[in-house]
Amino acid sequence: MGFLNKVRALLLLAALAASFWPGTRTAWSAGERLTASGDQLCALFVTRIVKYVTWPDAPREGDAPVPVAATDARAIRPHFAAVPPPPSIQLEQWPSQGCRILLLNGTPPREAAAILDRVKDSPVLTIGYGLEHFPRGLMVNIRESDGRLRLEINPKAALRAGITISSRLLQLARIVDDAE
């Protein structure tokens, strides 16, 4: 049984690692060349992370869209439209009331710190993409390093907000702390 769990974890890791290749990614499908940008993969990740996160408030209805706010929604909106469901995402420009996920995409460090301070007591999963540093209070960060997209998670920040992140996702990430 333990061996099968390790194999499943390795397969999940391989699938996520392959999907987080930075810059333009190339794949071959039925003889045609497919490419994906970092923004496209970020949108894909945000839509897929929903099943690995539990929020403290009432469970959401099965088909209700997940409210996601982005600091630069205009730049990433076309990529969310291209992601196949499920789940459906309702993308809005930050500031937004009632969002479950806040995507800080390309936000300057001081602005990111101010936004994170504003939502620190709310059950909002904060995800950074394209940030220079891992700001205090950020829960998940997607960053490029050595030609790859890396996943960093701060489980303490998530727990302070009452959010639970699946151990399956934690196994794939570099665990960071606010002190770093």
Side-chain angles (χ1 to χ4, degrees):
M1 188 77 168
F3 175 74
L4 290 177
N5 286 335
K6 287 181 183 178
V7 169
R8 285 185 190 129
L10 286 174
L11 288 175
L12 180 62
L13 175 63
L16 281 173
S19 69
F20 287 125
W21 201 259
T24 301
R25 282 52 158 203
T26 304
W28 296 92
S29 173
E32 65 184 69
R33 187 175 177 178
L34 303 174
T35 60
S37 69
D39 285 343
Q40 288 171 314
L41 293 176
C42 177
L44 180 63
F45 174 78
V46 170
T47 59
R48 298 302 186 246
I49 197 173
V50 173
K51 65 182 175 183
Y52 297 102
V53 176
T54 306
W55 283 269
D57 49 358
R60 59 179 199 93
E61 298 79 33
D63 293 332
V66 177
V68 175
T71 54
D72 190 3
R74 189 185 91 252
I76 203 156
R77 185 175 309 281
H79 305 298
F80 274 97
V83 173
S88 61
I89 296 292
Q90 179 182 344
L91 184 64
E92 303 166 354
Q93 179 65 41
W94 174 260
S96 173
Q97 295 293 330
C99 67
R100 287 194 178 270
I101 299 174
L102 172 58
L103 177 61
L104 301 166
N105 52 330
T107 309
R110 294 185 85 164
E111 185 180 341
I115 291 171
L116 289 169
D117 189 51
R118 183 174 171 184
V119 299
K120 70 179 175 186
D121 295 327
S122 306
V124 175
L125 179 71
T126 55
I127 301 175
Y129 175 68
L131 302 179
E132 295 175 20
H133 304 287
F134 197 104
R136 178 180 217 90
L138 187 69
M139 297 173 199
V140 177
N141 190 34
I142 305 167
R143 69 176 182 89
E144 293 189 35
S145 173
D146 299 328
R148 295 181 181 211
L149 287 181
R150 306 279 184 190
L151 185 62
E152 301 171 323
I153 298 178
N154 181 347
K156 289 181 181 178
L159 285 174
R160 280 194 301 270
I163 295 173
T164 305
I165 299 175
S166 167
S167 62
R168 294 183 77 185
L169 188 60
L170 290 173
Q171 290 175 351
L172 303 175
R174 178 178 159 257
I175 304 300
V176 296
D177 195 354
D178 281 335
E180 293 181 22

